[in-house]
Amino acid sequence: GQNIDQPTEMTATEGAIVQINCTYQTSGFNGLFWYQQHAGEAPTFLSYNVLDGLEEKGRFSSFLSRSKGYSYLLLKELQMKDSASYLCAVWDGDYKLSFGAGTTVTVRA
Amino acid sequence: GAVVSQHPSRVICKSGTSVKIECRSLDFQATTMFWYRQFPKQSLMLMATSNEGSKATYEQGVEKDKFLINHASLTLSTLTVTSAHPEDSSFYICSARGTSGDYEQYFGPGTRLTVT
C-alpha cells in the first residue's frame, strides 16, 4: 500500500513562516500535490511537483526530492485565513491519488 | 477554472434506506471521476474510480454492491449508498479529471451524509 506521512498539527503566528513536511513511499510516482482544505469543504489545489526542486507561487512554495521521497510546503507571511488542513497527495504509478492524513495549521494573532 | 458540483451538500437518511449523491462537471468533460470518503480528522480515502461508459473500479475493502457508482455521461457520475448504516455517515467527495494529459483533479464541494 501507499504510505504518506505528514505532521498532524502545527501552530504559527500571523506573519510568520511555516513549513509542512511530507514523506512518502508509493508504488511508482507521477507527481506530488499539495491541497488546502477548510473544515467541511472540498480540497483546493495549491501545487504540483513532478521534478526535483522548488516551485514558488506567491506566498506558497513547494519542494520535492524524489530520491528522498520527501516534499515540503512552505507558507510565508501567514494570514488568519491560512488556518486550514493541508493535504499532501501522491500520484502513484497507476495515476491514483493517495492522500496523507493532513496537517492542521492554526494561525494565531 | 473547472468546476465540479455535488448534490446534495447535506443529507440525513434513516438506517436501511438508500441515498444517491450526484457529481457533475459543469464546464468540462470528465473522462474519469473519483469518489472519496473522509471521516473526521482523517485523510481522503479513495473508494472507486469510474470512467464514462464502463464499470467502476473499486478499491480494496469497498463493497461494490453497497456503493453503486454510475458514470453514465461525460459530465455526471452518481454514488448510491444502499441500505445505509450509521457507520456510513461520512463526508463524500467526488473529483473529476478531463483529458488524459491534464493531471489536475477538480474536487466537488462534498456531501455530508448522516445516517440515523
Side-chain angles (χ1 to χ4, degrees):
Chain A
Q2 320 298 22
N3 194 23
I4 301 169
D5 290 317
Q6 52 182 130
T8 306
E9 294 181 332
M10 301 184 77
T11 301
T13 307
E14 199 173 12
I17 298 173
V18 71
Q19 177 174 314
I20 307 169
N21 296 323
C22 172
T23 58
Y24 63 90
Q25 289 177 307
T26 57
S27 51
F29 178 83
N30 281 299
L32 185 143
F33 294 81
W34 284 96
Y35 289 88
Q36 181 191 62
Q37 186 181 28
H38 286 99
E41 298 180 11
T44 55
F45 171 82
L46 291 178
S47 68
Y48 170 68
N49 295 65
V50 65
L51 299 176
D52 291 349
L54 185 68
E55 295 273 347
E56 297 187 80
K57 194 185 288 186
R59 294 189 298 116
F60 293 179
S61 303
S62 57
F63 172 83
L64 174 68
S65 169
R66 288 172 296 171
S67 62
K68 294 181 180 177
Y70 167 71
S71 173
Y72 68 73
L73 178 69
L74 195 69
L75 314 180
K76 293 181 273 190
E77 301 169 19
L78 278 173
Q79 301 175 10
M80 299 301 287
K81 66 178 181 179
D82 296 330
S83 291
S85 183
Y86 291 85
L87 308 176
C88 174
V90 175
W91 225 9
D92 67 17
D94 294 323
Y95 293 94
K96 278 186 192 171
L97 201 57
S98 295
F99 285 83
T103 300
T104 300
V105 171
T106 303
V107 181
R108 294 191 172 155
Chain B
V3 178
V4 175
S5 70
Q6 274 184 249
H7 178 79
S9 57
R10 290 177 182 272
V11 59
I12 300 173
C13 70
K14 293 192 174 181
S15 191
T17 62
S18 296
V19 62
K20 180 186 285 189
I21 302 169
E22 290 187 352
C23 176
R24 292 181 186 273
S25 57
L26 298 186
D27 51 2
F28 68 103
Q29 293 187 323
T31 51
T32 306
M33 285 187 170
F34 305 86
W35 286 95
Y36 295 85
R37 181 167 53 182
Q38 186 178 35
F39 293 106
K41 297 186 185 280
Q42 293 188 27
S43 179
L44 276 74
M45 298 300 296
L46 180 65
M47 299 175 67
T49 303
S50 72
N51 290 296
E52 184 264 339
S54 58
K55 288 185 180 179
T57 302
Y58 289 80
E59 295 301 299
Q60 195 170 7
V62 178
E63 300 173 59
K64 62 181 180 181
D65 294 331
K66 181 171 179 62
F67 298 99
L68 303 179
I69 292 171
N70 186 295
H71 191 161
S73 76
L74 285 171
T75 59
L76 173 64
S77 176
T78 60
L79 167 68
T80 302
V81 183
T82 63
S83 187
H85 290 144
E87 56 264 33
D88 298 325
S89 298
S90 187
F91 192 49
Y92 291 86
I93 304 174
C94 74
S95 71
R97 195 161 73 205
T99 62
S100 59
D102 180 2
Y103 58 74
E104 191 167 346
Q105 282 179 223
Y106 304 95
F107 286 84
T111 297
R112 174 74 59 194
L113 170 64
T114 304
V115 184
T116 60

